[in-house]
Amino acid sequence: MSLNKNNILFYFSVLLVLKGYTQEDQFLIKDSTQIETISEIIVTATRTKRQLSSLPLPAQIISKKELENSNSIRLSDILNEQTGLITIPDFGGGEGIQLQGMDAQYSLILVDGVPLIGRSAGTLDLNRITVGNIKQIEIVKGASSGLYGSEALGGVINIITETPKYGLTGSLDNRYGSFNTSDLSTGINFRKSKLSISGFFNRYSSDGYKLFEESELNTVEPFHNYTFQTKLNYELNESTTLFLSGRYFTQDQDYNAEGGLTGASETNEWNTHLRSSHTFGEKWKSYFEFYATGYTAEEFLNNSDGLLFQEANYDQLLIRPEIRVLFNPLKNSEITGGIGYTHESLDRNDFSTKPEFNSPYIFAQYDLTAFENLNIILGARFDMHNQYESQFSPKLAARFKLNNKIAVKGSVGYGFKAPDFRQLYFNFTNGTVGYTVLGYNAAPEALTQLKDQGEIANLIVPLSEFLGDLSPESSVSINLGIDYDIFSSLSVHLNIFRNNIDNLIDTRIVANKTNGQNVFSYFNVNRVFTQGAEMNISWQPHNHLKISGGYQLLYAKDKDVITIFENGEAFAREDPSSTSFQLENENYFGLYNRSRHMANVKIFHKFSRWGIDNSLRATYRSRYALSDSNGNGFLDTYDTFAKGYVVIDVALNKTIYKNYRLGVGVDNMLGFTDPQNSSNIPGRIYYGKLNIQF
């Protein structure tokens, strides 16, 4: 991307126009200097209702208003615009989220407090999630296994869906744009007395797109999907409430491969969530929850003669009952405790067995506000498991309010991620290339079979190295921050973080095959860390203008590689024909697919007289690299890097007759594309949008 003279002039023109209109509105609106004081409530950080501004943990909220004014349609769209977050494409075409430099597999994704399943190579595709019925998105950074167990090693993202208001209401929303992309949503809500019920439907489709014009294959193949969701709340009496929800997602997509292979893929996901709560007097409250979810995926490829070339299936099930109790011994303290059981199974054709995970757990948390200015949260969780060693995950967080403007806070927590089904039981051989990937538990038997069949040329790792157990990945997360409200309209939040990760599970070549390809398996190999600083600034001079910005500085490195550089054992070549030379410590860049700098700027503005609101959002990502181009085994400054880039989105909405809202916009206005390194960015997108409230 290049920021040429015309682009720069355009930016400043937009800002000047906004400022001009802002000044005009100041004369039109008598109370324009009065700021709306909206108390932002977050539940994800403590599993209780807490005011975001008083929380001792690094967390943020994306409001429904921001979602509407941005015209976003998928979860990945809006997360990309938050400080320290970036969506990363996986090899299967999905998008996962990188948080504080932690890979996508280390973030737990929840909908209304319960987890989604169906990860491809550890990544949960965020494009499965529509934002059409979202009330707010809550993001908690840092290890959160003290409340949520496995997968919450890097953080938690919780999508809170809409709760019906009194009366009968509904909405219809349709966005149509480039690549024949259509997003249609409709919802109907009813609430009266003790009963509230809601229904939501979404259809999302696209013709896909192609970034490599010379290729016969699309980068993203055409697809269409549907989402259905219902929620019911009923107050049985003054003390007891019943909640029931269900969600179903289904998607069909073309599936093509090199060599004239054609086929299709089908994905289905369902979940049901039952919760009852009961209040015992003023101090006790209890919850019983039962959650069940399933995920299936099937795909096939036929050759040019229409004969079956390859097929795959994936069938995952998760069931979780849980009992949780809240106790308020004093006005300024709260104790939360819970016990639960998780059952998980997977039936997959690339597995040597049908594995089951069973994991009972227990957790407790104490939330105390002392001396009015000090808040302390102390918690821990103990997870048992039928396949790996038990895990104890403590957490401590504190926030101290120095005065009415400044507060300091800090937290330290332990997180873990259990080895997943793929890392233990995978048994896959690529039908066209010929390489093989084996899970750790499946490797001894599968390698013996391959050897007996004469397919192994050289066994690099002896079978004796598979005698132990694969250990869970673990992390100790530390965050230190300052909240500074300079004025009522201007605030600054600074957070310094470090995540120390041990027993990182990575792939390793364990054998060479007679066809020239390799056999890979999973091992605990690395100790890595991510550390850096985040800063968020928000300025809202009046109700019609809000400007915010954020920046993240990130260092993500492998401790073992640092030792190699410090010992003078790292070398590189300028090109294959040149002589090698020793690399210095500063030549080690770090982990792949991490950028040293990321930033964002967002401007939201409203013209009250004309019923118009508009937004301009810009995100920046500095250079990064996906592979070791000079072949020395490290990512160093002599490798080839992808260039940094800027993505700018603009949106304009007009409200007509109170209940009608028209919108237009351009995503990725500068038309940035990088087919080799950023396959999830399709280029410039134009769209129009209609919303009807009834």
Side-chain angles (χ1 to χ4, degrees):
M1 204 285 308
S2 63
L3 286 176
N4 57 39
K5 181 180 178 181
N6 291 333
N7 288 331
I8 294 172
L9 287 174
F10 177 81
Y11 302 149
F12 281 100
S13 298
V14 171
L15 289 173
L16 288 172
V17 169
L18 283 171
K19 182 175 176 59
Y21 281 122
T22 300
Q23 291 173 340
E24 180 182 342
D25 266 3
Q26 285 180 329
F27 291 103
L28 295 171
I29 309 301
K30 292 181 179 179
D31 61 344
S32 61
T33 55
Q34 183 178 356
I35 309 301
E36 291 181 355
T37 54
I38 300 175
S39 179
E40 293 184 301
I41 301 298
I42 185 170
V43 298
T44 308
T46 59
R47 299 194 71 177
T48 59
K49 291 183 179 180
R50 282 294 306 267
Q51 194 170 5
L52 177 66
S53 59
S54 67
L55 197 68
L57 298 159
Q60 65 187 91
I61 289 176
I62 304 171
S63 67
K64 182 176 180 63
K65 187 175 181 181
E66 181 173 342
L67 289 168
E68 290 177 342
N69 291 344
S70 302
N71 288 341
S72 301
I73 53 177
R74 294 283 122 181
L75 182 62
S76 53
D77 299 337
I78 196 71
L79 291 184
N80 258 326
E81 299 176 358
Q82 312 308 312
T83 303
L85 275 67
I86 187 167
T87 57
I88 303 296
D90 69 9
F91 63 84
E95 279 187 279
I97 191 73
Q98 188 184 101
L99 191 156
Q100 286 190 340
M102 305 281 277
D103 203 33
Q105 61 184 318
Y106 303 123
S107 294
L108 181 64
I109 309 296
L110 309 172
V111 173
D112 290 326
V114 289
L116 294 178
I117 61 172
R119 290 177 179 256
S120 172
T123 298
L124 195 143
D125 185 12
L126 301 175
N127 288 314
R128 282 164 42 191
I129 306 170
T130 174
V131 303
N133 64 335
I134 291 179
K135 177 184 177 184
Q136 67 182 32
I137 301 169
E138 302 178 357
I139 302 164
V140 179
K141 299 177 180 178
S144 301
S145 294
L147 277 177
Y148 295 99
S150 181
E151 296 185 2
L153 188 148
V156 179
I157 297 173
N158 192 6
I159 297 107
I160 310 294
T161 59
E162 280 282 11
T163 300
K165 299 175 182 176
Y166 277 97
L168 179 64
T169 59
S171 65
L172 176 67
D173 193 282
N174 185 216
R175 172 176 147 166
Y176 181 79
S178 305
F179 311 114
N180 197 26
T181 301
S182 174
D183 186 89
L184 172 66
S185 296
T186 184
I188 186 165
N189 306 291
F190 174 75
R191 184 173 182 181
K192 183 178 182 181
S193 185
K194 299 179 178 179
L195 174 69
S196 69
I197 186 168
S198 64
F200 173 77
F201 165 78
N202 173 263
R203 184 185 187 277
Y204 180 48
S205 64
S206 172
D207 286 347
Y209 58 87
K210 179 189 288 187
L211 294 176
F212 289 100
E213 291 300 327
E214 64 277 10
S215 173
E216 63 180 24
L217 301 177
N218 288 323
T219 306
V220 172
E221 297 288 357
F223 66 86
H224 62 271
N225 63 50
Y226 300 88
T227 301
F228 306 87
Q229 186 166 7
T230 60
K231 291 172 66 174
L232 181 147
N233 267 289
Y234 185 70
E235 297 177 11
L236 296 174
N237 52 52
E238 292 183 354
S239 303
T240 307
T241 301
L242 184 67
F243 168 84
L244 178 64
S245 73
R247 180 177 180 272
Y248 179 69
F249 170 86
T250 182
Q251 174 172 288
D252 292 300
Q253 185 170 24
D254 292 352
Y255 178 37
N256 301 311
E258 298 284 355
L261 300 174
T262 59
S265 67
E266 179 181 349
T267 302
N268 295 285
E269 174 203 344
W270 62 267
N271 67 51
T272 181
H273 184 196
L274 170 67
R275 182 179 67 228
S276 68
S277 62
H278 185 79
T279 302
F280 303 89
E282 297 181 353
K283 295 187 176 182
W284 288 90
K285 190 169 185 179
S286 68
Y287 298 87
F288 170 75
E289 290 188 283
F290 181 84
Y291 177 64
T293 181
Y295 176 90
T296 63
E298 297 179 351
E299 61 185 31
F300 70 90
L301 281 174
N302 291 337
N303 60 25
S304 55
D305 297 326
L307 299 176
L308 182 65
F309 175 79
Q310 178 181 304
E311 64 179 343
N313 63 70
Y314 184 106
D315 187 352
Q316 185 178 5
L317 173 69
L318 183 145
I319 298 173
R320 174 180 296 171
E322 181 184 279
I323 297 174
R324 192 165 78 252
V325 176
L326 268 64
F327 175 54
N328 296 94
L330 301 170
K331 186 178 179 181
N332 57 350
S333 64
E334 185 173 68
I335 298 174
T336 306
I339 185 169
Y341 184 90
T342 300
H343 169 80
E344 196 173 2
S345 64
L346 179 62
D347 188 2
R348 185 173 179 178
N349 65 325
D350 293 321
F351 277 30
S352 57
T353 183
K354 182 181 177 181
E356 292 185 356
F357 284 171
N358 295 301
S359 176
Y361 61 88
I362 185 170
F363 65 90
Q365 175 183 266
Y366 183 48
D367 187 346
L368 171 67
T369 299
F371 314 115
E372 296 186 357
N373 292 333
L374 176 64
N375 177 226
I376 299 174
I377 296 177
L378 177 64
R381 172 166 163 149
F382 184 71
D383 288 81
M384 293 169 279
H385 203 280
N386 65 326
Q387 291 291 330
Y388 61 89
E389 60 187 280
S390 301
Q391 296 290 307
F392 178 68
S393 308
K395 177 186 69 177
L396 174 64
R399 184 178 190 270
F400 184 71
K401 192 174 179 181
L402 298 174
N403 52 48
N404 290 333
K405 292 180 177 292
I406 301 176
V408 295
K409 60 185 180 182
S411 63
V412 56
Y414 175 87
F416 76 95
K417 179 184 175 297
D420 59 33
F421 288 122
R422 167 183 52 98
Q423 293 164 335
L424 293 178
Y425 303 105
F426 205 29
N427 187 348
F428 170 76
T429 296
N430 185 284
T432 54
V433 180
Y435 66 87
T436 298
V437 183
L438 301 174
Y440 182 85
N441 289 4
E445 182 179 348
L447 283 170
T448 301
Q449 290 178 350
L450 290 172
K451 191 175 181 180
D452 294 341
Q453 295 166 3
E455 297 185 42
I456 298 297
N458 180 36
L459 195 62
I460 298 175
V461 176
L463 296 181
S464 58
E465 291 208 15
F466 294 93
L467 292 178
D469 292 328
L470 203 59
S471 298
E473 298 165 280
S474 62
S475 170
V476 175
S477 172
I478 302 170
N479 285 271
L480 298 172
I482 298 176
D483 298 332
Y484 184 22
D485 295 325
I486 302 173
F487 307 109
S488 60
S489 61
L490 178 62
S491 61
V492 178
H493 306 278
L494 176 66
N495 184 55
I496 301 171
F497 63 89
R498 181 176 172 99
N499 299 291
N500 287 308
I501 308 162
D502 289 329
N503 291 323
L504 188 75
I505 297 174
D506 204 352
T507 54
R508 176 179 171 187
I509 297 175
V510 296
N512 304 126
K513 299 181 73 173
T514 53
N515 63 0
Q517 296 296 320
N518 296 315
V519 180
F520 300 87
S521 189
Y522 299 91
F523 285 89
N524 295 111
V525 290
N526 291 353
R527 301 173 302 129
V528 304
F529 68 83
T530 71
Q531 67 180 22
E534 297 172 330
M535 183 174 69
N536 283 293
I537 300 176
S538 178
W539 180 49
Q540 188 173 3
H542 50 76
N543 288 336
H544 306 285
L545 176 65
K546 181 177 181 180
I547 300 174
S548 62
Y551 167 76
Q552 178 184 269
L553 172 68
L554 174 68
Y555 293 89
K557 296 188 176 184
D558 186 322
K559 295 178 182 177
D560 297 328
V561 174
I562 290 176
T563 301
I564 292 173
F565 272 73
E566 290 175 344
N567 293 339
E569 299 169 349
F571 296 87
R573 299 175 189 272
E574 291 278 7
D575 56 69
S577 60
S578 64
T579 58
S580 63
F581 56 90
Q582 183 178 323
L583 293 171
E584 303 295 333
N585 293 345
E586 57 268 23
N587 293 132
Y588 177 45
F589 186 83
L591 303 183
Y592 299 104
N593 208 2
R594 269 76 171 180
S595 293
R596 187 79 74 232
H597 310 280
M598 291 199 301
N600 65 80
V601 175
K602 290 176 279 190
I603 303 172
F604 292 92
H605 186 264
K606 185 177 181 180
F607 303 90
S608 297
R609 170 187 283 182
W610 301 334
I612 292 176
D613 62 74
N614 56 75
S615 66
L616 186 150
R617 297 104 56 205
T619 57
Y620 167 72
R621 182 183 187 186
S622 68
R623 67 172 189 158
Y624 61 99
L626 299 180
S627 63
D628 170 31
S629 59
N630 59 16
N632 63 353
F634 319 111
L635 178 57
D636 58 70
T637 53
Y638 293 92
D639 280 307
T640 301
F641 283 74
K643 293 182 179 177
Y645 62 85
V646 172
V647 172
I648 297 177
D649 301 334
V650 294
L652 177 69
N653 297 291
K654 163 72 175 174
T655 300
I656 304 171
Y657 301 121
K658 188 178 179 181
N659 294 329
Y660 298 87
R661 184 176 166 91
L662 293 171
V664 293
V666 184
D667 287 345
N668 191 8
M669 191 173 66
L670 304 180
F672 166 77
T673 59
D674 184 348
Q676 196 69 45
N677 302 296
S678 299
S679 59
N680 60 325
I681 301 178
R684 187 180 297 110
I685 295 175
Y686 301 96
Y687 65 84
K689 185 176 181 180
L690 170 64
N691 175 268
I692 303 173
Q693 299 289 328
F694 53 89

